[in-house]
Amino acid sequence: VGERCRRLASGLQSLGVERGDTVALLAPNTPEAFECAFGVPMLGAVLNANNTRLDAGTIAYILEHGEAKVFLVDTELSATARDALAQIDRDVIVVDIEDSEGPGGERIGSMTYDELLAKGDADFAYELPADEWDALSLNYTSGTTGRPKGGPQTFRMAFINCVNASAAIGMTAASRSLTFLPLFHTAGLNTYLLPMLHNGAHTTVMRSFDPGEVLRVIGDPSAGITHFLGVPANYLFMSQHPDFEATDFSRIVAATVGGAPTPRPLLTLYAERKGVVIRQGFGMTETS
């Protein structure tokens, strides 16, 4: 993975991407999305991962407002990306991510992701940020009014978040997390994927949330999941699944919820039936 990240950084550099430039992404939780989270910052560029549920008009606004120089698009979402690109008035280099696990779609870019990596150097010497307050990513949040707002997250913010999260929920190098929230959201990427890697721990990333599959992985002794984060709807759908009662939650150290208020009956259900005290968290995209 490290080599592919370096190739990505070098490949983007060959396309004219420089430190501080924005690289946009539209993809589900794929290996390529994971690589972008680390490869783009290696160049000092800023990753703008877009919500895959947004309409083309909103994505077009974000591409314009965020001044994207390159747009990496999973072909599963090529139709939305094509419609968004038709609405902007700027030159953007489009790269197709041909996802073997997704349903696929048309190619709309000038090259594929694999061709971009082939242009890159596996020995690319990336530099640490010139300043710890340099932007690492640009995450758009809708807020409550008007257009989406771009919240830059810095290297320092990411580091402090890793330190705080690790201390708050007992992460160690032996921890194993399950990530099923989208990586385009601060919860999926920063809680707890980055903190886990910061600790040298193991994380399993799911393409998307499926309650039955989440229960299977949590109950699998070989997976050894100790930490996971969800929104209230995730916990509700899991509790309604036929496999819920038989799933072993005994290895869970911290199950956390956020994103919306959690109904007391749902908290009580997990505490009484599974022995899991769900930890309620609060955070904002703007603070990572």
Side-chain angles (χ1 to χ4, degrees), residues 25-27 50 52 54-57 59-60 63 71-88 92 94-96 106-109:
L25 171 69
L26 185 65
N50 282 264
T52 57
L54 294 177
D55 60 76
I59 292 175
L63 292 174
F71 190 21
L72 303 163
V73 179
D74 190 291
T75 54
E76 174 185 335
L77 300 160
S78 57
T80 300
R82 182 196 59 232
D83 292 346
L85 290 163
Q87 300 179 47
I88 67 174
V92 180
V94 181
V95 177
D96 294 303
E106 64 174 316
R107 286 181 54 175
I108 61 173

Side-chain angles (χ1 to χ4, degrees), residues 6 26 100 142 159 169 171 182 194 196-197 213-214 218 275:
R6 290 190 292 274
L26 185 65
S100 61
S142 61
F159 171 69
I169 59 173
M171 288 184 184
L194 285 183
M196 279 288 170
L197 298 180
E213 183 63 10
V214 169
I218 289 174

Side-chain angles (χ1 to χ4, degrees), residues 11 125-126 194 227:
Y126 64 91
L194 285 183
H227 294 72

Side-chain angles (χ1 to χ4, degrees), residues 19-243:
R19 181 178 294 275
D21 287 341
T22 301
V23 176
L25 171 69
L26 185 65
N29 285 7
T30 61
E32 292 83 1
F34 184 89
E35 291 165 4
C36 287
F38 296 92
V40 172
M42 283 183 175
L43 182 57
V46 182
L47 178 65
N48 165 221
N50 282 264
N51 187 330
T52 57
R53 299 189 182 97
L54 294 177
D55 60 76
T58 305
I59 292 175
Y61 171 79
I62 292 173
L63 292 174
E64 287 272 20
H65 187 264
E67 301 181 347
K69 196 164 189 176
V70 174
F71 190 21
L72 303 163
V73 179
D74 190 291
T75 54
E76 174 185 335
L77 300 160
S78 57
T80 300
R82 182 196 59 232
D83 292 346
L85 290 163
Q87 300 179 47
I88 67 174
D89 187 25
R90 61 181 293 109
D91 293 328
V92 180
I93 301 171
V94 181
V95 177
D96 294 303
I97 301 174
E98 297 183 304
D99 180 6
S100 61
E101 295 184 8
E106 64 174 316
R107 286 181 54 175
I108 61 173
S110 57
M111 69 180 68
T112 67
Y113 185 85
D114 287 342
E115 290 170 343
L116 176 61
L117 262 59
K119 293 168 63 71
D121 182 359
D123 296 320
F124 176 77
Y126 64 91
E127 299 181 3
L128 293 175
D131 188 288
E132 61 185 4
W133 291 108
D134 283 354
L136 169 71
S137 62
L138 180 62
N139 296 67
Y140 277 78
T141 179
S142 61
T144 54
T145 61
R147 294 284 197 172
K149 288 87 174 170
Q153 298 183 358
T154 68
F155 284 85
R156 180 179 176 83
M157 288 163 66
F159 171 69
I160 296 300
N161 180 68
C162 287
V163 172
N164 288 340
S166 299
I169 59 173
M171 288 184 184
T172 70
S175 300
R176 301 174 76 88
S177 71
L178 174 61
T179 298
F180 49 77
L181 294 178
L183 296 179
F184 61 70
H185 192 277
T186 188
L189 181 61
N190 294 330
T191 320
Y192 299 118
L193 192 150
L194 285 183
M196 279 288 170
L197 298 180
H198 172 77
N199 282 279
H202 179 280
T203 189
T204 297
V205 180
M206 293 180 61
R207 180 185 180 87
S208 59
F209 174 73
D210 177 273
E213 183 63 10
V214 169
L215 290 171
R216 185 193 67 78
V217 176
I218 289 174
D220 182 357
S222 65
I225 301 300
T226 59
H227 294 72
F228 69 92
L229 166 70
V231 298
N234 298 138
Y235 283 93
L236 177 62
F237 295 150
M238 288 161 59
S239 71
Q240 295 173 336
H241 194 277
D243 295 337

